[in-house]
Structure formats: C-alpha cells, structure tokens
Amino acid sequence: MNLILFGAPGSGKGTQSDLLVKKLGMIQLSTGDLFRNAIKNKTKLGIEAQTYMDEGQLVPDSIVINMVEEMLLTGVSNFILDGFPRTLAQAESLEELVLRLKINISKAIFLDVPSEVLLGRLTGRRVCTKCGAVYHIESKQSKVEDVCDSCGAELIQRNDDKQGVIQARLDAYQNFTSPLKEFYKKSGRYIEVNGNRNTEEVYQEIEKIVK
Ligand code: AMP
C-alpha cells in the first residue's frame, strides 16, 4: 500500500514513518530528509532549498514537485509520503503524476496534534547527526546527554527547530497544508489519527489502517 502521512511540524510524521519502515518494511519518502541530505552534500538542489528551510518557509512547489516526480519515476512502491504534499498545488500535481505513472495512493492519514503540544515537541527535539534518530530533551532522552544511543554520534538541534524559525513553520502549515484535509476528505481517502498519544499507541492505530 502507498500512503500519505501529513500533519503539522512536530506531529510525529517522521517517527511514525520510521516505525512503518522498521516494522512493515515500507519505504519512507521524506521531502524534508531529501532536502537536508542535499544541503549536507552541497548539491544544486540543496543550495536552492537552504534559504527557504532556514527561514521556516516552504520550498517552492516547482522544486519539490520535480524532486518527487524523480523519486516516483524509480518505480518505488509500498511507500509513505512523509511531508509531501504540503500545498494544494502539490496535491493536485501529485494526482496528475500518480495517474500518469499508474500508482495508487489509497490513504491520506492526518496526524492530529494540538498546536500548544507541537511547540514543546519542536523546541525539545534533538536529532542524530549521523543516523537521523530523533530524541526529545524531556520525553525521549538519550542515555548519555547529546550522544545517540544507536550510533554514538552527536545529537544536535535542527536549524529549523530553533525558536525563531518554528513559528514560521507553524504558520506555513496553517496557511498552506491545513487545507489539504478538505482536499483528501473530498477524494474519500482522508483518515484522521489522534497523534497526541504515546508513539506506540499512535503506531498501532496506523498499522491497523495500513494492514
Ligand atoms: P520536514 O522535515 O518535513 O519538517 O521539512 C523541513 C523543511 O523542508 C520544511 O520546513 C520546508 O522548508 C522544506 N520542505 C519539506 N517538504 C516540503 C514540501 N513538500 N514543500 C515545501 N517545502 C518542503
């Protein structure tokens, strides 16, 4: 099954996608991760995306859509789109793309988390510089401070998780991504999951939907 996982920054898309990868062997297609890798490798795409990301703005639709098209052209299946689409224009382009490539995306799962909870999740998030594992300074501490339990590399705060940038990301979500709920309700693929619970409970519900 191919699915879309969407929600506000900090709603748990990355965490739940990781679990679907580990437990069900699905493939995570995260546009945010692709941009972060491109920035790390200093590619043209990374240079284009960096200013937008650093300011908490969305990367322009044309850049994101081209990148997703390239990924889907590889024939990938059993995937989770994590962080895409994020605007109505992206959602419409995706419809056209999947039709053309004969791909079926059967569900769009929305992770619902109240805005006051999102802020705490984002400011406390720490990520591993090597393997990308995600921690939280209160709710998911590493055994040794600032050191990844899985690979021993350093944990850092993502640039876009810093206080000044978070509000811009939440505003971008509210203005551009939130309307996607209506879009997917109309197409009959919308499923809402309460994301304001512990990770395992949320995962169990998503797994039931996927299976
Ligand atoms: P994420 O890790 O999904 O929160 O994405 C991090 C950042 O990458 C976002 O704040 C945007 O700047 C950019 N980004 C990721 N996915 C998209 C998308 N579908 N459309 C526009 N910008 C995106």
Side-chain angles (χ1 to χ4, degrees):
M1 176 198 276
N2 303 313
L3 58 91
I4 292 166
L5 198 53
F6 74 114
S11 58
K13 302 182 295 291
T15 304
Q16 294 301 328
S17 297
D18 272 355
L19 288 169
L20 289 165
V21 170
K22 284 188 191 125
K23 300 194 182 197
L24 299 184
M26 293 183 77
I27 295 178
Q28 177 189 16
L29 303 178
S30 157
T31 43
D33 282 351
L34 287 171
F35 285 133
R36 277 184 287 278
N37 276 335
I39 290 172
K40 213 169 169 178
N41 297 324
K42 300 190 168 62
T43 65
K44 186 169 164 273
L45 178 71
I47 293 162
E48 280 177 330
Q50 180 149 31
T51 21
Y52 299 100
M53 289 179 73
D54 284 349
E55 289 173 6
Q57 308 292 336
L58 295 182
V59 176
D61 287 335
S62 57
I63 298 178
V64 192
I65 291 163
N66 282 340
M67 184 174 79
V68 170
E69 177 164 6
E70 270 177 38
M71 282 189 317
L72 296 184
L73 278 170
T74 61
V76 63
S77 67
N78 200 25
F79 61 77
I80 314 140
L81 279 174
D82 159 11
F84 180 91
R86 255 178 158 100
T87 65
L88 276 176
Q90 291 178 16
E92 280 158 5
S93 299
L94 180 63
E95 293 301 290
E96 182 273 322
L97 194 59
V98 295
L99 208 65
R100 179 153 49 88
L101 301 179
K102 299 191 171 55
I103 295 171
N104 180 30
I105 297 183
S106 42
K107 307 251 182 306
I109 300 177
F110 173 68
L111 282 176
D112 187 31
V113 176
S115 48
E116 61 276 14
V117 176
L118 296 170
L119 208 58
R121 285 192 184 181
L122 291 167
T123 48
R125 180 157 71 180
R126 297 293 179 271
V127 294
C128 175
T129 44
K130 192 167 168 204
C131 72
V134 180
Y135 295 83
H136 189 278
I137 53 170
E138 282 164 7
S139 56
K140 193 175 178 236
Q141 296 173 343
S142 55
K143 291 189 187 106
V144 178
E145 201 181 335
D146 295 335
V147 177
C148 179
D149 292 348
S150 322
C151 75
E154 187 195 6
L155 302 182
I156 54 155
Q157 186 174 39
R158 270 168 46 175
N159 272 342
D160 59 352
D161 280 344
K162 295 192 174 145
Q163 194 84 45
V165 182
I166 288 175
Q167 195 53 50
R169 293 172 64 204
L170 292 173
D171 289 347
Y173 162 74
Q174 204 53 51
N175 294 333
F176 301 110
T177 312
S178 178
L180 294 185
K181 288 192 247 176
E182 282 310 309
F183 181 91
Y184 287 113
K185 273 179 195 167
K186 276 188 199 139
S187 77
R189 284 170 291 168
Y190 180 83
I191 299 182
E192 192 165 297
V193 168
N194 172 7
N196 192 20
R197 294 174 291 170
N198 73 50
T199 304
E200 193 52 35
E201 275 179 79
V202 178
Y203 176 73
Q204 287 309 325
E205 189 172 336
I206 295 179
E207 193 184 91
K208 263 192 221 141
I209 295 165
V210 173
K211 283 182 168 171

